[in-house]
Amino acid sequence: MTVHDTIPTDSLLDGGGEMGNLIRNKNWAETPLGAISDWPHNLRIALSIMLNTRFPMFLFWGPELICLYNDAYRPSLGKNGKHPDILGMPAQEAWVEIWPIISPLIDQVLSGGGATWHEDQLVPIYRNGHIEDVYWTFSYSPALDEVGKPIGVIVTCTDTTKKVLALKRVEDANKNFYNMVAQAPVAMCVFREPNYIVEIANERMLELWGKAAREVMHKPIFEGLPEAREQGLEALLQSVYTTGERFVASERPVNLPRNGKIELTYINFVYEALREADGEISGIMAVASEVTAQVVARKKIEEAEERARLAIEASRLGIWDYSPLTEELRFDEATMVLFEHDPATPVNLDAFWNKMHPDDQAPALQKMQRALDPTLPDNYHAEYRLLLANGVTRWIEATGQAFFNGNNVPVRFSGTVQDITSRKEADNALRMTTERFRLLANSMPQFVWTADVDGRLNYFNQAVYDYSGLTPDEVNEDGWLQIVHPDDREENIRHWIHAIQTGEDFLFEHRFRRHDGEYRWQLSRAVPQRDEQGHIQLWVGTSTNIHDQKSSAQELESQVRERTRELEKSNADLKKLNADLAEFTYVASHDLQEPLRKIQAFSSLILQKEYQSLSENAQDYFQRMHRTAERMQMLINDLLTYSRTNTTELVFEETHLNKILEEVRDDLKELIQEKHAVIEAHELCPAHIIPFQFRQMMTNLLSNALKFTKDNVTPIIVIKASIKAGQYLDAEKLVPDQLYCHIEVIDNGIGFDPQFNERIFLLFQKLHGRHEYQGTGIGLAIVKKIVENHQGVITASGELGKGARFDIYLPA
């Protein structure tokens, strides 16, 4: 039994509201679908489902895609539109205005591409008498025939126009809000949770923060603006976010980045909670303005007022106020004390004048009258004495200014008074001191002069006028430089300006013109006089006649120049001697050795080939001659070596001494093996040396140690080196705080008598006969010369039968 057999055909299309009636009553025979009785069962089932659901549905059926829809879809077609005309109409005719949009979707479904889904897509349709922009969320699904192939398209859809337009209005509102924030005349921003992420900040807020947008936007505020951390702002934001209560700050100090550094700023700002439609807090809006300039200006005014108040208190200024119209005089408390006026007694001008010294009343009154005269520009300034009780006299300095009305009538006369008794006493003391100073200066033969703090000369003693023949008026008019030699003036001025600018003593030698026109040398010196705080108050200078000493110095300079010429000549002679020495060295190394080599060669041939034919005396003579030639050869070589230590260019290099020692050991390898000697070389230090000379020195020292050994005793030579300061080394001529490389060469050979500790380094000095030990007596002299070339010191010590020791000290 099939479904078609069990469900009556008419019952499938029952119900369905308005669209059900329209479908049942339509003459379908005139459409491509034909009569309802001929409709396939699948179409009936699809219509039954569509008509009885309250979800908007639309059906395209058959090759012509005939349009069918339910009551739930009906409102989407609006009024005065396609309904009901499109019922039973082919889709391309019914939806001609949107066919390019929906045709590809229908083709996809019918070709087996599966269902489609679109959300809030704009698909304009004709309704309500015109084309409207309509947004849809819809799905196109295949409607299958009896063999399972797509025969139509089922459209389930929802008109989301109202939702989309509502969202657009929200977006527009947000854009308007953002634009409002961006264009606001004050700094504004919005923080969102979590961590108060900066959602929006206008240019003024970025300027306030001292940040670029990329540094703070869409970041937690205290990550983008770490400079604002730990200033209490975190707690304020948290409080507003959790309670919703607005926070208002006025002139709050905040450290913010300015010009590459952190500066203290003052900010007015408001934190306001932002709420969603449901009242939940989702963020915080901040509105701020920087008022640093205003705060700093106000603070400066407050500080200035406070300084003025303190200055008045510190200076003990009194304030008075007089009304010329009412002749009323008022004193403040400080003036009352200053004038010793009884506060219970009325203040009047007569009481004031009665306390003034009689000699000062007329000048003070005259100055007061001038100040009250509108035709005169004078302010009031007077100094006078008060005669107080118990015979006390007090000096007063009064200053004031008159104020006039529109008719130039004085209406007010106000000012200050100050006790200047101490200053007057100091002035008197200074005047007396100055008079005594000038009296003393005028009695001196030296020139004495003074200058103010800016370097202007304001006093010369009588000796200056007597020497120059000028009068004070002539010096004041043409200046003191007129007595200085023209060639010395520019340098004189430069030295004087330098002293004034730096506060250093002025010291200069120059020539002064005497009254007879002769110039004589003077040594001028000026010393600044300072107060207790170190500030220069004046300069006191003297000029002393050094003409005779200068002449002697010039004579001495002439002698020095002559001596210098003699030394230069001696130096030239020395260079010639050195050249002669170099020539001698060449002769010694070539011309003198050539005949010596021939003597050695011929004597060797005679000893080898003619020895047996010689008499015993001749044999002895030839052997002695041969040995003498060998000694002569050795002497010439040693003298050349000694000479080269003086004439060879001294090139110092940083060299490790172990390297030098290894080379010397290798050169003396056969002699060391022959003597069965043991050389104990500890780790040596690097030193700044002349390598080839140092190698020669070590060769001579080791050769000596290997030469002067004891019979039947294994020679042991110990070599050590260390870096120490001169004060810790046992040697003369060492600088205490200089570092030295101390080299020790110690052997267990035959030694020598301690009385020869110094003589051992002399040229040709031999402590043993040539029959006992070969040598020329030059080796150790060469060693000492090499040490001296290194600016070092060498000492020798020994004891007969107990070995020798050499200590070398080279500057490190």
Side-chain angles (χ1 to χ4, degrees), residues 181-182 188-190 198-203 205-206 209 216-217:
V181 171
M188 295 181 68
C189 68
V190 173
V198 181
E199 182 177 88
I200 182 172
N202 64 6
E203 286 297 327
M205 184 62 81
L206 295 174
W209 289 339
V216 293
M217 293 302 297

Side-chain angles (χ1 to χ4, degrees), residues 319 329-356 386-389 394 396 417:
I319 299 174
L329 180 62
R330 292 189 296 273
F331 288 166
D332 69 347
E333 183 178 352
T335 306
M336 292 281 189
V337 173
L338 196 60
F339 281 76
E340 295 184 357
H341 189 83
D342 185 359
T345 303
V347 177
N348 56 62
L349 202 57
D350 290 338
F352 166 71
W353 287 111
N354 290 337
K355 289 189 176 183
M356 188 182 298
L386 292 180
L387 300 178
L388 303 176
R394 177 176 294 162
I396 298 297
V417 289

Side-chain angles (χ1 to χ4, degrees), residues 468-487:
S468 65
L470 300 175
T471 65
D473 290 340
E474 289 174 326
V475 172
N476 291 335
E477 182 178 349
D478 297 327
W480 62 274
L481 275 176
Q482 62 182 301
I483 68 173
V484 178
H485 194 287
D487 294 344

Side-chain angles (χ1 to χ4, degrees), residues 1-9 12 37 39-42 44-45 146:
M1 181 182 296
T2 65
V3 174
H4 180 75
D5 296 332
T6 58
I7 301 177
T9 300
L12 288 173
S37 58
W39 287 359
H41 187 66
N42 288 9
R44 292 170 179 270
I45 293 296
E146 294 180 350

Side-chain angles (χ1 to χ4, degrees), residues 68-226:
L68 300 158
Y69 51 95
N70 63 3
D71 281 0
Y73 184 80
R74 162 70 186 83
S76 299
L77 296 174
K79 299 177 181 180
N80 300 323
K82 297 180 181 295
H83 178 75
D85 296 339
I86 64 170
L87 182 65
M89 186 183 295
Q92 189 169 357
E93 296 178 18
W95 300 101
V96 63
E97 73 274 18
I98 61 171
W99 187 247
I101 298 175
I102 65 175
S103 176
L105 303 177
I106 294 172
D107 291 343
Q108 176 183 336
V109 174
L110 293 178
S111 63
T116 65
W117 170 261
H118 300 274
E119 185 173 10
D120 297 332
Q121 180 166 330
L122 174 63
V123 183
I125 66 171
Y126 180 83
R127 67 181 185 184
N128 300 320
H130 61 276
I131 297 293
E132 287 188 8
D133 286 343
V134 184
Y135 293 88
W136 307 86
T137 295
F138 60 92
S139 173
Y140 279 21
S141 305
L144 305 178
D145 61 13
E146 294 180 350
V147 295
K149 292 184 178 180
I151 188 63
V153 177
I154 299 173
V155 181
T156 56
C157 60
T158 301
D159 182 348
T160 60
T161 303
K162 291 183 179 180
K163 183 193 78 171
V164 171
L165 294 179
L167 290 175
K168 283 186 173 292
R169 285 194 292 273
V170 172
E171 289 179 2
D172 291 342
N174 286 337
K175 288 181 180 179
N176 291 335
F177 172 71
Y178 290 160
N179 288 335
M180 179 195 71
V181 171
Q183 299 174 19
V186 295
M188 295 181 68
C189 68
V190 173
F191 303 127
R192 296 288 186 185
E193 275 292 292
N195 300 326
Y196 311 112
I197 294 174
V198 181
E199 182 177 88
I200 182 172
N202 64 6
E203 286 297 327
R204 291 170 181 80
M205 184 62 81
L206 295 174
E207 291 174 2
L208 179 66
W209 289 339
K211 296 288 183 178
R214 66 178 183 280
E215 297 178 275
V216 293
M217 293 302 297
H218 311 301
K219 297 179 181 179
I221 180 59
F222 296 110
E223 178 183 320
L225 186 63

Side-chain angles (χ1 to χ4, degrees), residues 547-560:
H547 193 79
D548 293 339
Q549 298 94 311
K550 193 74 174 177
S551 299
S552 298
Q554 290 173 345
E555 178 63 24
L556 180 60
E557 288 177 2
S558 175
Q559 294 175 3
V560 169

